[in-house]
Amino acid sequence: MRLLVTWLINAVALMALPYLMHSVTVTNVGAALVAALVLGLVNTLIRPLLVVLTLPVTVVSLGLFILVINALLFWLVAQLVAGFHVAGFWSAFLAAILYSIISWALSTLILKKDGDS
């Protein structure tokens, strides 16, 4: 159940992005759901491999290169999913940061830890 709620939270975060950035468009809720699913799969399967392959650059940049990896993966998902569009790399860079902040905030508000009541 927690996985389903997290997926819905990420879809809501994607739906909020066009209201904050005009360079990101999400045509409908279905596109947001598919994009959230693909983004989750890409972050689970491809991102760790890219982080390991770019470890020297990440260390030299003090971890800031991970933001570039996130932007590239966000942009990749926008290219793969119909109904989800990002204008360019810098739009993807900012959108990935905003997406992370929004989904973190919603997760903090909605999901409670097992020990919390």
Side-chain angles (χ1 to χ4, degrees):
M1 186 68 176
R2 187 174 176 92
L3 184 63
L4 180 64
V5 172
T6 303
W7 176 45
L8 292 173
I9 287 171
N10 289 336
V12 168
L14 278 176
M15 290 294 294
L17 281 178
Y19 295 103
L20 300 172
M21 299 180 61
H22 296 292
S23 57
V24 176
T25 57
V26 180
T27 57
N28 55 29
V29 176
L33 289 170
V34 171
L37 179 66
V38 173
L39 196 56
L41 290 173
V42 165
N43 281 333
T44 302
L45 301 174
I46 298 174
R47 186 176 182 267
L49 180 65
L50 288 177
V51 168
V52 169
L53 290 175
T54 61
L55 193 58
V57 177
T58 303
V59 169
V60 169
S61 70
L62 302 174
L64 293 176
F65 193 72
I66 290 179
L67 294 174
V68 173
I69 291 172
N70 287 343
L72 288 173
L73 292 177
F74 198 84
W75 199 16
L76 172 70
V77 170
Q79 299 300 316
L80 295 175
V81 176
F84 176 51
H85 179 69
V86 178
F89 173 77
W90 291 109
S91 296
F93 187 85
L94 183 59
I97 292 171
L98 287 173
Y99 172 74
S100 297
I101 292 169
I102 294 168
S103 64
W104 167 78
L106 289 174
S107 295
T108 302
L109 291 172
I110 295 172
L111 297 175
K112 293 185 178 185
K113 293 183 182 171
D114 294 334
D116 294 346
S117 50

